[in-house]
């Protein structure tokens, strides 16, 4: 491998990190509240509301069932509107975020669903309001499960970030595509793939450890 | 004495997917200030439903639940939360937040009530002291035994200085020894803090040990309500009899024979009344079961006996026992 390619790979690692980090962050900022709303408004929960739950659930399901590659293309005009360009690392963060939001929302919802209903009953009997119950009882109790879900989500975003290379995004995916696919340089392809796998595994491992560490039961 | 709760014709019908089920039927009763009130019944009788109407975790379908003369049904959400600070509850499965320390769990009701941090920490420690678990303040609940978890739940329930404590099968997940310790603690709290306690249970032994009065719920109906000693020595309803009679006496020798239950307290225990019966009347009874119980701190003995076939002889025997001060009741 030439020094030029090595440098490109190192650069690619940072770009992949950048995309994954920001896309994950932004997708939680939107997806977490959506997940909480999906949970709280579902049948038998503390803020049961069929209309709200139906609408948000429908949007999330539609967004989640779109293949990410299609979403990438569909979102080009939106991305251009938000960041002023549709190619490059920063531009990739937009579709990655949008693609991850519904996944995060469902993951958060399922973590909250695991919380023992008895705890919610206890909160209610103490005179806690529904919002207080969510913030001080349900979410803290779900933290280990949320962290575990977080690791899975970040790994998914990282995988998606490799796909962003197709529409001119940066990162390891773009390098794999350029050198490995278009120019057929096998060792570049395998190096980037190995790096991507290693990064996913590290994220999973850290997530699982954090989750175990915080789990008090 | 003032009534803490007053239930008038309370009915509750659950509706699920078009199916209806009436779990409470026209229940009327009152819980008096300072007492330990038991609610006992078989599994599925409606006890949990009943106790959950007391803090409006369950809405009644008809009738009214009054807490210190205030109809709970008329409170808005905010007023209801306010009232719930005065009605604490503990559960069979403890329901502690596993991800929070013992101290933080006990602080929760104070935090909800808006008590400043320093003050609530102080108060929470005081409560842990009462239940004897101050040294576990910084431990997480999963490190505690069942009995300790229930003590933490009691500390949490007491923290907001409630007027009444509701206990839904609070000892049903615990072994007999730990059950005894938790009941002793509840009794102590009842006496020292003048706290009214409502206890739901399916075990007569719990009622006998600490309750002042008891209501018997049978298939959603209030079968009987009264002083525990009264209900124990002379149960009126079929459901009450089922609960207080020894569960497995020997079969009577004559399947159609008349079987009665004799109850005597400590004051009569030095009288050999079976021997006296034979001596004075020449009649004999067949003992099917006998045991002693402690009800409200008083020792009681009970005996299930089979009477002879002759109606005259039966009447002679029953009046002999009744004149001796024993309580005689039919076993159906
Ligand atoms: N949410 C509910 N929906 C329908 N039926 C219920 C519900 N909760 C309780 N029940 C029914 O009401 C009856 C009484 O229940 P419960 O009050 O829990 O009994 P207990 O506490 O005495 O065992 C049971 O037959 C139970 O199946
Ligand atoms: Mg029950």
């Amino acid at each position: 491998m030439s020094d030029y390619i090595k440098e490109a790979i190192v650069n690619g690692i940072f770009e992949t990190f950048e995309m994954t980090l920001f896309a994950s962050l932004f997708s939680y900022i939107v997806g977490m509240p959506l997940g909480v709303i999906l949970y709280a408004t579902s049948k038998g929960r503390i803020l049961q509301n069929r209309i709200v739950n139906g609408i948000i659930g429908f949007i999330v399901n539609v967004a989640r069932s779109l293949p990410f590659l299609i979403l990438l293309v569909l979102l080009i005009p939106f991305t251009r509107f938000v960041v002023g360009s549709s190619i490059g690392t920063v531009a990739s963060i937009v579709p990655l975020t949008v693609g991850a939001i519904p996944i995060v929302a469902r993951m958060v919802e399922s973590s909250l669903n695991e919380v023992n209903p008895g705890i919610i009953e206890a909160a209610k009997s103490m005179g806690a309001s529904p919002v207080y119950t969510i913030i001080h009882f349900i979410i803290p109790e779900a933290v280990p499960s949320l962290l575990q879900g977080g690791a899975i989500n970040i790994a998914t975003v990282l995988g998606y970030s490799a796909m962003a290379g197709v529409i001119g995004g940066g990162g390891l995916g773009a390098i794999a595509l350029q050198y490995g696919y278009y120019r057929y340089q096998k060792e570049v392809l395998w190096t980037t793939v190995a790096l991507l796998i290693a990064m996913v595994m590290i994220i999973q491992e850290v997530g699982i450890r954090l989750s175990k560490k915080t789990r008090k039961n | 004495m003032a009534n803490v709760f007053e239930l008038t014709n309370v009915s509750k019908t659950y509706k699920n997917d078009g199916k209806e089920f009436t779990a409470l039927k026209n229940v009327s009763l009152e819980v008096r200030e300072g007492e330990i009130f038991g609610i006992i019944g078989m599994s599925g009788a409606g006890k949990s439903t009943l106790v959950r109407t007391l803090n409006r975790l369950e809405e009644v379908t008809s009738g009214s639940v009054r807490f210190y003369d205030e109809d709970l049904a008329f409170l808005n959400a905010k007023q209801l939360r306010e009232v719930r600070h005065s009605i604490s509850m503990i559960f069979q499965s403890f329901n502690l937040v596993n991800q929070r320390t013992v101290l933080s769990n006990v602080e929760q009701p104070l935090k909800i009530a808006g008590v400043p941090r320093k003050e609530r920490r102080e108060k929470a420690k005081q409560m842990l002291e009462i239940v004897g678990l101050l040294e576990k303040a910084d431990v997480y609940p999963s490190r505690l035994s069942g009995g300790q978890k229930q003590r933490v739940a009691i500390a949490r329930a007491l923290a907001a200085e409630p007027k009444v404590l509701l206990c839904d099968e609070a000892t049903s997940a615990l072994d007999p020894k730990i059950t005894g310790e938790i009941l002793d603690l509840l009794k102590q709290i009842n006496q020292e803090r003048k706290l009214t306690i409502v206890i739901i249970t399916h075990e007569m032994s719990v009622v006998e040990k600490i309750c002042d009065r008891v209501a018997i719920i049978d298939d959603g109906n209030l079968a009987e309500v009264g002083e525990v000693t009264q209900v124990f020595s002379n149960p009126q309803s079929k459901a009450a009899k089922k609960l207080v009679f020894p569960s497995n006496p020997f079969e009577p020798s004559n399947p159609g024979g008349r079987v009665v239950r004799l109850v005597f307290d400590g004051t009569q225990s030095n009288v050999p009344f079976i021997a006296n019966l034979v001596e004075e009347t020449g009649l004999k009874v067949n003992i099917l079961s006998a045991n002693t119980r402690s009800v409200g701190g008083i020792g009681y003995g009970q005996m299930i006996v089979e009477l002879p076939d002759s109606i005259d002889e039966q009447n002679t025997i029953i009046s002999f026992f009744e004149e001796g001060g024993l309580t005689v009741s039919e076993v159906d």
Side-chain angles (χ1 to χ4, degrees):
Chain A
M1 265 189 279
S2 67
D3 284 348
Y4 172 73
I5 290 181
K6 277 184 192 151
E7 200 177 300
I9 289 177
V10 171
N11 230 346
I13 293 175
F14 280 109
E15 285 174 1
T16 296
F17 257 125
E18 187 187 351
M19 288 189 287
T20 307
L21 179 72
F22 285 103
S24 299
L25 188 69
F26 296 145
S27 63
Y28 264 90
I29 290 174
V30 183
M32 175 102 184
L34 283 182
V36 171
I37 294 171
L38 278 174
Y39 162 80
T41 57
S42 63
K43 191 161 184 267
R45 299 295 184 195
I46 43 181
L47 290 170
Q48 179 175 337
N49 186 321
R50 256 175 69 186
I51 297 171
V52 173
N53 191 270
I55 292 173
I56 296 182
F58 179 75
I59 296 171
V60 163
N61 284 348
V62 168
R64 210 161 60 129
S65 54
L66 282 180
F68 183 62
L69 213 53
I70 308 284
L71 193 70
L72 270 179
V73 178
L74 282 178
L75 284 174
I76 287 175
F78 177 68
T79 306
R80 199 171 282 145
F81 170 76
V82 176
V83 292
S85 152
S86 69
I87 51 172
T89 310
V90 176
S92 307
I93 292 172
V94 176
L96 282 174
T97 302
V98 174
I101 286 171
I103 302 174
V104 169
R106 285 296 181 198
M107 195 80 94
V108 167
E109 182 192 10
S110 100
S111 288
L112 301 184
N113 271 328
E114 289 167 22
V115 172
N116 167 15
I119 288 174
I120 297 157
E121 186 126 308
K124 221 169 154 183
S125 75
M126 281 176 220
S129 69
V131 173
Y132 187 99
T133 305
I134 291 170
I135 296 174
H136 293 276
F137 287 81
I138 299 171
I139 292 179
E141 191 69 356
V143 160
S145 170
L146 286 169
L147 283 174
Q148 205 173 337
I152 295 171
N153 285 330
I154 294 171
T156 306
V157 171
L158 195 137
Y160 280 1
S161 81
M163 265 190 259
V166 174
I167 61 150
L172 289 174
I175 294 169
L177 209 61
Q178 271 169 37
Y179 296 90
Y181 182 69
Y182 295 128
R183 300 188 201 165
Y184 211 67
Q185 294 184 7
K186 263 196 218 156
E187 71 278 19
V188 179
L189 179 64
W190 288 119
T191 310
T192 49
V193 168
L195 283 169
L196 282 170
I197 292 174
M199 287 170 85
V200 168
M201 281 168 62
I202 290 169
I203 291 168
Q204 299 273 37
E205 192 58 28
V206 169
I208 286 165
R209 286 205 185 173
L210 270 179
S211 166
K212 274 207 185 117
K213 220 179 138 155
T214 52
R215 194 177 288 278
K216 303 298 182 194
N217 54 323
Chain B
M1 232 184 295
N3 284 340
V4 180
F5 287 109
E6 206 171 305
L7 279 69
T8 317
N9 296 324
V10 168
S11 294
K12 171 71 188 183
T13 301
Y14 288 110
K15 292 190 186 76
N16 287 324
D17 319 313
K19 272 195 226 112
E20 290 197 356
F21 181 83
T22 302
L24 289 178
K25 299 159 194 163
N26 264 312
V27 173
S28 299
L29 54 82
E30 84 271 338
V31 175
R32 299 175 193 152
E33 202 163 56
E35 73 176 346
I36 302 187
F37 187 81
I39 297 174
I40 187 169
M42 302 284 163
S43 171
K47 308 180 295 293
S48 293
T49 304
L50 180 59
V51 78
R52 289 160 55 84
T53 66
L54 301 184
N55 58 357
R56 224 180 100 186
L57 283 179
E58 213 72 76
E59 307 279 347
V60 299
T61 309
S62 66
S64 73
V65 177
R66 302 173 80 82
F67 175 65
Y68 282 103
D69 264 343
E70 189 166 33
D71 192 331
L72 293 183
F74 294 137
L75 302 178
N76 64 29
K78 191 158 175 287
Q79 291 167 325
L80 179 61
R81 291 202 290 271
E82 208 55 49
V83 164
R84 280 177 179 161
H85 295 319
S86 311
I87 311 174
S88 279
M89 191 164 184
I90 60 174
F91 308 84
Q92 178 172 1
S93 52
F94 324 123
N95 295 343
L96 300 173
V97 180
N98 291 307
Q99 293 295 121
R100 295 220 189 268
T101 62
V102 162
L103 187 65
S104 161
N105 266 285
V106 177
E107 276 183 47
Q108 273 302 339
L110 298 164
K111 205 167 162 189
I112 293 168
V115 177
R117 174 187 287 261
K118 209 169 151 251
E119 212 174 303
R120 67 174 191 249
R121 191 134 295 182
E122 219 34 58
K123 190 75 193 264
K125 284 186 175 162
Q126 231 174 300
M127 296 301 130
L128 282 173
E129 179 119 55
I130 291 175
V131 302
L133 280 181
L134 188 53
E135 83 278 7
K136 300 283 186 193
D138 298 321
V139 164
Y140 287 89
S142 64
R143 290 290 172 81
L144 303 178
S145 67
Q148 289 173 326
K149 284 183 191 170
Q150 198 59 287
R151 283 172 187 269
V152 174
I154 291 170
R156 178 173 75 172
L158 295 181
E161 300 277 350
K163 296 202 175 83
V164 53
L165 175 63
L166 310 178
C167 313
D168 190 356
E169 303 272 8
T171 58
S172 299
L174 307 173
D175 65 45
K177 178 169 172 282
I178 306 297
T179 293
E181 289 172 14
I182 295 288
L183 294 179
D184 287 339
L185 175 65
L186 290 175
K187 184 88 198 174
Q188 177 199 333
I189 289 164
N190 162 257
Q191 288 177 343
E192 285 172 9
R193 303 174 75 87
K194 307 273 168 267
L195 183 69
T196 309
I197 300 181
V198 178
I199 287 191
I200 302 287
T201 181
H202 63 273
E203 294 169 306
M204 192 61 196
S205 57
V206 169
V207 171
E208 286 167 3
K209 189 164 160 93
I210 64 165
C211 294
D212 300 308
R213 290 195 314 134
V214 63
I216 291 156
I217 302 292
D218 181 37
D219 196 18
N221 296 296
L222 178 69
E224 196 165 331
V225 60
E227 301 286 332
V228 174
T229 48
Q230 198 58 44
V231 171
F232 175 80
S233 51
N234 198 7
Q236 301 297 311
S237 63
K238 215 170 161 177
K241 287 179 181 176
K242 218 165 147 185
L243 284 163
V244 297
F245 289 164
S247 51
N248 46 4
F250 293 120
E251 291 296 319
S253 57
N254 171 4
R258 187 166 173 201
V259 176
V260 296
R261 171 177 177 259
L262 310 174
V263 175
F264 54 97
D265 65 29
T267 59
Q268 299 135 338
S269 63
N270 53 355
V271 181
F273 54 87
I274 297 283
N276 287 353
L277 172 76
V278 180
E279 223 165 65
E280 290 180 26
T281 66
L283 299 170
K284 291 181 243 176
V285 294
N286 175 22
I287 300 172
L288 301 176
S289 158
N291 63 24
T292 57
R293 309 275 268 263
S294 167
V295 180
I298 300 166
Y300 280 88
Q302 62 174 336
M303 211 178 258
I304 306 287
V305 297
E306 182 185 5
L307 304 182
D309 288 341
S310 146
I311 304 280
D312 280 347
E313 289 178 9
Q314 289 175 2
N315 290 340
T316 310
I317 292 171
I318 289 174
S319 41
F320 174 82
F321 286 141
E322 281 179 341
E323 278 159 21
L326 306 190
T327 311
V328 182
S329 52
E330 301 289 331
V331 176
D332 298 325

